[in-house]
Amino acid sequence: MAQKINEAHEHIAQAEKHLKTSFMKWKPDYDSAASEYSKAAVAFKNAKQLEQAKEAYLLEAEAHTNHRSLFHAAKAFEQAGMMLKDMQRLPEAVQYIEKASVMYVENGTPDTAAMALDRAGKLIEPLDLAKAVHLYQQAAGVFENEDRLRQAVELIGKASRLLVRQQKFDEAAVSLQKEKNMYKEIENYPTCFKKTIAQVLVHLHRADYVAADRCVRESYSIPGFSGSEDCIAMEQLLQGYDEQDEDQVSRVCTSPLLRYMDNDYAKLAISLKVPGGGKKKKPPAAVASGDAGAAPPEEDEDEYAGGLC
């Protein structure tokens, strides 16, 4: 370990020599300095000196930036972020990865920028859901600008689920609509059906029956939706919710169709309550004209109590 540390310091010393100017050397040799800083960072990393490795990567990034090698500077910033991740300093790690993503875009490599933001989102997700949502949305925006809708919609889907997890239902409704529109654009219609279910659940948790109903009606224009099991289930769910039929709502929400959705949406289904929370009353049996004054039968009366005949 001591040998690696000494090796790292030698590389730092060499880098500093490359940066010095003299009467015969007017410009610093940023490219050679960056190479030495990179070697120093690796040596520090191998010696488990993560703080010093991070600093060496930052010096490498600075040298590459001065040399206008933006792609390599961004890579060095990402590596500094990884050192911070290993030190469990996740917010700082994300800051450097975000900085790298900006440089990737400036360099003309937006795909690399979006992937970096996606990685940053995964890093911070266990700690800060709101920040993760922001990063996924940023990454989706980069892909969308490049007409990479399949990659963009996957990231918007991550953001939608995290918004639901935070019970930010208004924002989730907007995110889901954008997600669904993208799936329609790339003609992935079966996934549109699932997004309609998610939309209905989110709107009902917002107590907005009208918006939930509108989502289903608008989905009738999607090829294959009308008459599908997804469509029928949502029609039954909306009917049960509107009529305050707790049993019908429960049947739909605990059906395999909803139970095996993404976990965040499955939880929405299980926790959905109808307005008022009461069970729908069964209509009384028709009273014969001759017994107009007779009391209606008990609601729970067994119709087969007298035998099948």
Side-chain angles (χ1 to χ4, degrees), residues 42-240:
V42 172
F44 279 132
K45 182 180 174 182
N46 289 338
K48 310 298 183 187
Q49 302 298 305
L50 301 183
E51 179 67 34
Q52 289 172 289
K54 179 209 76 175
E55 291 300 327
Y57 278 125
L58 292 179
L59 289 169
E60 180 195 353
E62 184 182 352
H64 280 308
T65 302
N66 287 327
H67 192 54
R68 298 302 298 164
S69 300
L70 296 184
F71 183 85
H72 294 296
K75 280 290 181 189
F77 276 124
E78 267 204 274
Q79 288 298 320
M82 291 301 102
M83 296 303 97
L84 287 161
K85 182 206 81 163
D86 291 343
M87 289 186 276
Q88 296 302 308
R89 289 156 60 182
L90 298 181
E92 291 176 79
V94 166
Q95 285 178 3
Y96 282 119
I97 297 172
E98 284 186 282
K99 189 169 185 176
S101 74
V102 172
M103 298 186 89
Y104 285 132
V105 171
E106 289 176 6
N107 183 66
T109 48
D111 283 9
T112 312
M115 289 187 284
L117 290 167
D118 184 18
R119 284 194 290 274
K122 289 173 185 171
L123 277 184
I124 204 68
E125 194 175 307
L127 194 67
D128 187 344
L129 290 178
K131 181 65 176 178
V133 167
H134 174 69
L135 290 164
Y136 290 142
Q137 289 173 335
Q138 272 191 304
V142 174
F143 276 131
E144 193 176 358
N145 288 339
E146 297 298 306
D147 290 325
R148 300 279 299 276
L149 294 189
R150 292 180 191 279
Q151 288 80 5
V153 74
E154 184 179 331
L155 289 157
I156 293 172
K158 290 183 180 182
S160 299
R161 290 191 293 275
L162 294 189
L163 288 166
V164 165
R165 198 176 302 172
Q166 296 171 84
Q167 299 190 351
K168 294 181 177 179
F169 295 128
D170 290 348
E171 293 176 55
V174 173
S175 186
L176 278 164
Q177 185 62 54
K178 185 171 185 179
E179 198 181 341
K180 182 174 167 182
N181 290 342
M182 281 191 178
Y183 277 118
K184 283 173 72 175
E185 195 168 340
I186 62 178
E187 299 183 351
N188 185 339
Y189 300 130
T191 304
C192 288
F193 304 170
K194 303 305 177 191
K195 297 306 163 187
T196 300
I197 294 176
Q199 283 182 301
V200 169
L201 292 169
V202 165
H203 284 310
L204 292 183
H205 273 274
R206 294 173 63 236
D208 192 342
Y209 173 87
V210 173
D213 184 60
R214 185 169 60 246
C215 283
V216 175
R217 292 182 183 280
E218 287 174 352
S219 294
Y220 289 149
S221 64
I222 300 172
F225 180 73
S226 184
S228 67
E229 63 172 345
D230 307 79
C231 176
I232 293 167
M234 289 304 96
E235 288 171 343
Q236 292 173 346
L237 177 59
L238 288 171
Q239 180 189 35

Side-chain angles (χ1 to χ4, degrees), residues 23 28 80 95 157 207 249 305:
F23 180 72
Q95 285 178 3
V249 168

